[in-house]
Amino acid sequence: MTESQRLQEYAAADPVAAPGLAEEEFAEAATDHTVWSCVGNLTAVRSIRARVRDVLEGVRLPGGPVPADSIDDAELAASELATNALLHSRSGQVGGVMTLSIRTERGLIRVAVADQGEKSAEAGPDGELREADGDYGRGKLIIESCTSRSGEYRGEGTHVAWFEIDLPES
């Protein structure tokens, strides 16, 4: 199967069936809130990185624009969340979808990536079982090093990983 045929298969995903975010994601007032869904294919991580950068560069908080280093950190952490969604969930399979949420408010950036839940208990990106001594887990270290807080929660058929970055006071 050619690369273009695979991309056409991915494009067949139904964006209406995209994984959702928990109701508490929308509970507090925010200055900006962007929700965007994309198919879980080979270009998804690049698309999510670009979307995070574009949104945050356009945000004007009461204290001014989002600092460039905070945008860099958010872009890197979001790409790790998207990569994990592709590798470890049904979102990375044919027809898979993931949803990006970006919220900014005074002093805070919050980004979440919702995926379609686990492929299987220990399946790797090709559906094979992971080796016990496999090379996994660096993504979480990267996220912890460039964010203020991070976490995850699961719903029925959905997994949401999120992070927050505290912005410097101006």
Side-chain angles (χ1 to χ4, degrees):
M1 178 178 288
T2 68
E3 183 66 22
S4 63
Q5 288 171 323
R6 277 193 294 261
L7 291 176
Q8 287 174 356
E9 281 184 29
Y10 287 121
D14 181 7
V16 175
L21 299 173
E23 193 172 308
E24 56 269 15
E25 290 286 313
F26 303 98
E28 297 178 22
T31 57
D32 185 43
H33 195 143
T34 301
V35 178
W36 178 71
S37 293
C38 67
V39 294
N41 64 24
L42 301 174
T43 63
V45 175
R46 182 177 13 162
S47 297
I48 284 179
R49 287 178 66 99
R51 182 63 55 126
V52 167
R53 178 162 293 281
D54 289 347
V55 167
L56 294 179
E57 285 177 342
V59 169
R60 296 295 174 254
L61 297 171
V66 176
D69 59 337
S70 296
I71 293 173
D72 293 343
D73 288 344
E75 182 183 25
L76 176 60
S79 70
E80 290 298 325
L81 295 184
T83 299
N84 285 342
L86 286 176
L87 292 176
H88 307 300
S89 79
R90 291 189 318 270
S91 294
Q93 296 175 324
V94 173
V97 177
M98 65 178 105
T99 301
L100 170 70
S101 169
I102 306 169
R103 188 170 83 188
T104 57
E105 53 190 83
R106 181 180 285 263
L108 181 71
I109 298 168
R110 186 166 205 270
V111 175
V113 174
D115 64 48
Q116 295 174 302
E118 293 184 20
K119 290 186 216 184
S120 65
E122 291 295 319
D126 297 324
E128 297 176 12
L129 294 181
R130 291 186 187 173
E131 297 175 18
D133 62 348
D135 193 15
Y136 298 98
R138 282 187 255 152
K140 286 188 177 189
L141 292 174
I142 291 170
I143 291 168
E144 289 172 6
S145 71
C146 64
T147 66
S148 304
R149 286 165 296 290
S150 64
E152 61 185 306
Y153 56 91
R154 297 182 191 285
E156 191 173 314
T158 303
H159 169 258
V160 179
W162 59 271
F163 65 83
E164 294 178 338
I165 296 175
D166 294 330
L167 299 172
E169 293 186 31
S170 22

